[in-house]
């Protein structure tokens, strides 16, 4: 995940205020497409995010200037 957003509710459940590791799925994951990404790799990543419980995923393609 290139960018992740965690809600205040998820952050309130964290045990260690100083940790940089968040337990739980982000509410929003942003994946930025790189030239080396294939559609197969991208689909595999999106499947992992869904299975992990990510509620919303944005895929940014800087070459096409699109967000899916």
């Amino acid at each position: 995940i290139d960018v992740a957003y965690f809600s205040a509710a998820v952050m309130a459940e964290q045990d260690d205020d100083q940790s940089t590791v968040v337990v739980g799925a982000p509410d929003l994951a942003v994946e930025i497409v790189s030239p080396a990404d294939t559609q197969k790799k991208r689909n595999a990543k999106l499947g992992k995010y869904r299975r992990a419980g990510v509620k919303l995923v944005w895929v940014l393609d800087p070459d096409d200037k699109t967000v899916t």
Side-chain angles (χ1 to χ4, degrees):
I1 297 175
D2 294 301
V3 178
Y5 168 78
F6 293 88
S7 68
V10 171
M11 295 308 295
E13 294 176 5
Q14 303 307 302
D15 290 334
D16 184 1
D17 292 337
Q18 302 302 313
S19 177
T20 58
V21 177
V22 178
V23 178
D27 294 277
L28 169 66
V30 179
E31 185 68 30
I32 302 172
V33 176
S34 71
D37 284 346
T38 63
Q39 189 64 45
K40 185 176 179 177
K41 282 184 182 179
R42 197 173 316 136
N43 288 342
K45 284 183 186 181
L46 296 176
K48 286 180 184 180
Y49 299 160
R50 286 188 200 105
R51 288 189 299 278
V54 177
K55 296 175 184 170
L56 182 63
V57 178
W58 292 351
V59 178
L60 279 67
D61 189 328
D63 291 336
D64 290 342
K65 297 183 173 89
T66 61
V67 177
T68 306

